[in-house]
């Protein structure tokens, strides 16, 4: 009897050992990816600090010297595009469209090219170069591609079994990149669902949630519990001011964001004839011209349009800085010129600065509402108009400002901004850019 009992216990243990949850190979993969999430977070924090140094260096060089303010942006833009084409082909652009395209590629060799570690390192270096030269670009988009590249590289190391698992790992890396870049774990999850994958599948949810949680914990451990744009206690009571502010910020933000997206989506693909041939033959000269535009805007704004716009947005949100009335238009134009140049750099952070400037300008037209509240509404309205991802927009602004009192008006403004933007630019910007990139990598897809 004892022997039968022992045999039954042994058989039960063997069956338990055969379950996927106890597979040594599965646990090895989990440990590797958990380590990858920590690595993504550490690189995102380091990248953020280097970006701040690059912006400060650029400001010191150009604000202190008229000649450098005139010559550095055109020369830097031309050099960045030259290095992109000759040394780091595939590093151009934001990084988010490339990550979306990588998840849709059918050929793993193309995924390996787009998410190569070499390309990720090149994107970091060239983004920093652009910031030194005054480009109106962000680091968050590149951080998404870097996070996806790290996770994909680790996936190749442990030999993932199929394409679906590869895609889920890329998605997790991109989400971890956003969570670590902004210190916004919830926004990282929402961004992965709404923007990167456009769906939520049970097979990928565990990877995404785990990567974001680990990246968030690592960010807290290294950088502390900071808020990206500081803390604001702005509130907006229900009433006439509530409705006017939400409607005006949503409509104006949607129009401005839709125009911005339309320019970035349609200009590169809409050129034909002689302009298209000139651009194809002289991309370095075109980049220098874009740099000249950024230089002019920088001089006109006393340097306010240089860099990510992080400092300006934070000052406006916290009420410690008042920007010129036309700052949001100048920053919008500088971001368009920077992206169209073909240099690497994201478009995630600059729209937040544009939106903050728009909100500050609109606050003078809405005396019934507190100016600090209108700033947040302008930020979320414009950002939602640009990315056409309303849930991500209000979640990320809420987390970045540590303000839950404004949740409902932020949600309403984001939805209005999204709806108005779709009337101007029918395709979401990241979706459209990813389709263009994918068609170049895999014609016929």
């Amino acid at each position: 009897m004892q022997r039968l009992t022992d045999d039954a216990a042994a058989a039960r243990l063997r069956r338990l050992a055969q379950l996927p949850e106890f597979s040594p190979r599965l646990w090895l993969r989990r440990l590797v990816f958990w380590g990858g999430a920590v690595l993504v977070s550490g690189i995102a924090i380091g990248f953020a600090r280097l970006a701040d140094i690059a912006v400060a260096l650029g400001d010191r060089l150009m604000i202190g010297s008229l000649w450098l303010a005139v010559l550095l942006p055109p020369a830097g833009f031309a050099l960045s595009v030259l290095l992109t084409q000759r040394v780091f082909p595939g590093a151009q652009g934001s990084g988010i469209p490339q990550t979306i395209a990588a998840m849709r590629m059918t050929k793993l060799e193309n995924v390996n090219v787009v998410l190569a570690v070499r390309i990720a390192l090149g994107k970091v270096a060239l983004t920093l170069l652009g910031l030194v030269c005054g480009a109106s670009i962000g680091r968050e988009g590149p951080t998404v591609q870097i996070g996806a590249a790290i996770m994909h590289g680790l996936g190749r190391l442990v030999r993932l079994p199929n394409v679906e698992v590869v895609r889920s790992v890329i998605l997790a890396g991109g989400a971890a990149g956003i969570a670590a870049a902004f210190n916004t774990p919830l926004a990282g999850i929402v961004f992965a669902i709404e923007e990167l994958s456009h769906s939520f599948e049970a097979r990928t949810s565990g990877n995404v949630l785990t990567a974001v949680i680990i990246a968030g914990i690592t960010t807290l451990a290294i950088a502390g519990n900071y808020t990206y744009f500081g803390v604001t206690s702005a509130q907006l009571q229900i009433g006439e001011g509530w409705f006017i502010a939400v409607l005006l910020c949503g409509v104006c933000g949607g129009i401005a964001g839709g125009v911005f997206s339309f320019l970035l989506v349609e200009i590169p693909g809409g050129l034909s004839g002689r302009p298209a041939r000139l651009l194809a033959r002289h991309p370095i000269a075109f980049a220098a011209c874009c740099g000249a535009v950024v230089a002019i805007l920088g001089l006109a704004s006393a340097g306010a349009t240089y860099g990510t716009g992080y400092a300006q947005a934070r000052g406006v949100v916290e009420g410690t800085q008042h920007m010129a009335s036309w700052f949001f238009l100048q920053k919008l134009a500088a971001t368009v010129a920077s992206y169209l140049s073909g240099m690497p750099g994201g478009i995630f952070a600059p729209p937040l600065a544009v939106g903050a400037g728009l909100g500050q300008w609109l606050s003078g037209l809405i005396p019934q509402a507190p100016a600090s509240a209108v700033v947040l509404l302008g930020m979320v309205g414009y950002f939602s108009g640009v990315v056409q991802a309303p849930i991500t927009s209000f979640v990320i602004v809420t987390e970045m400002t540590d303000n839950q009192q404004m949740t409902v008006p932020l949600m309403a403004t984001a939805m209005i901004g999204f709806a108005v933007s779709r009337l101007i630019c029918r395709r979401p910007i990241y979706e459209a850019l990813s389709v263009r990139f994918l068609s170049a990598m895999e014609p016929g897809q």
Side-chain angles (χ1 to χ4, degrees), residues 236-249 365-370 374 377 409:
L236 188 61
Q237 300 298 328
I238 195 73
E240 180 186 12
W242 192 101
F243 290 102
I244 294 175
V246 167
L247 184 61
L248 191 58
C249 289
L365 307 177
I366 316 173
Q368 304 94 327
V374 179
L377 296 181

Side-chain angles (χ1 to χ4, degrees), residues 33-45 143 147-148 150-151 171-189 206-226:
F33 293 136
W34 294 348
V38 173
L39 183 60
V40 170
S41 181
I43 291 176
I45 294 169
T143 303
I150 290 172
M151 287 297 203
L171 179 63
I178 280 291
F182 284 120
N183 192 26
T184 51
L186 181 57
I189 297 170
N207 286 331
V208 173
L209 291 172
T210 303
V212 168
I213 290 169
I214 293 175
I217 292 172
T218 305
T219 303
L220 288 174
I222 298 175
N225 189 23
Y226 73 96

Side-chain angles (χ1 to χ4, degrees), residues 51-334:
D52 291 340
I53 293 172
V55 171
L57 176 59
D59 287 346
R60 192 177 305 117
L61 290 173
M62 290 184 287
I63 294 178
S65 169
L66 177 61
W67 285 108
L68 283 177
V70 172
L71 297 176
L72 187 57
F77 278 43
L79 176 60
S80 179
V81 173
L82 178 65
L83 292 174
T84 300
Q85 293 188 344
R86 303 285 175 83
V87 184
F88 301 107
Q92 70 272 13
S94 161
I96 294 175
Q98 288 76 10
T99 303
I100 296 172
M103 289 191 293
R104 298 177 181 176
M105 289 177 179
T106 57
K107 300 177 181 178
L108 281 178
E109 57 267 26
N110 288 336
V111 179
N112 297 339
V113 171
V114 175
L115 298 181
V117 174
R118 178 173 170 274
I119 296 298
L121 293 175
K123 208 169 192 77
V124 171
L126 295 176
T127 299
L128 294 175
L129 171 62
L131 291 173
V132 171
C133 300
S136 180
I137 54 178
R139 57 176 171 78
E140 292 76 20
T143 303
V144 170
Q145 188 173 357
I146 292 166
I150 290 172
M151 287 297 203
H152 176 63
L154 293 173
R156 295 179 65 188
L157 185 66
V158 298
R159 299 179 181 179
L160 294 177
N162 55 57
V163 175
E164 288 300 320
V165 178
V166 170
R167 289 170 179 165
S168 74
V169 167
I170 294 172
L171 179 63
I178 280 291
F182 284 120
N183 192 26
T184 51
L186 181 57
I189 297 170
V190 175
F191 179 77
I193 298 169
E194 188 177 29
E195 192 62 51
L196 292 181
S197 68
H198 296 281
S199 65
F200 188 75
E201 300 178 12
R203 289 175 296 178
T204 65
S205 61
N207 286 331
V208 173
L209 291 172
T210 303
V212 168
I213 290 169
I214 293 175
I217 292 172
T218 305
T219 303
L220 288 174
I222 298 175
N225 189 23
Y226 73 96
T227 50
Y228 195 84
F229 285 137
V231 178
T232 174
S233 57
Q235 296 187 40
L236 188 61
Q237 300 298 328
I238 195 73
E240 180 186 12
W242 192 101
F243 290 102
I244 294 175
V246 167
L247 184 61
L248 191 58
C249 289
V251 171
C252 292
I255 292 173
V259 169
F260 174 85
S261 297
F262 181 84
L263 293 174
L264 265 60
V265 170
E266 299 299 333
I267 288 181
L271 293 177
S272 60
R274 183 175 176 80
R277 291 194 297 271
L278 285 174
L279 179 58
R281 291 174 185 171
H282 307 288
I284 311 302
F286 178 75
C289 291
C290 291
V293 172
V294 170
I296 293 170
L297 291 167
L299 289 171
S301 64
T305 57
Y306 294 147
T308 61
Y310 164 76
Q312 290 80 8
R314 186 183 182 102
V316 172
V317 168
E318 292 186 330
T320 60
Q321 188 172 3
H322 187 85
M323 306 304 300
S325 299
W326 300 107
F327 163 73
F328 73 95
L329 289 177
Q330 294 170 329
K331 185 66 175 174
L332 188 156

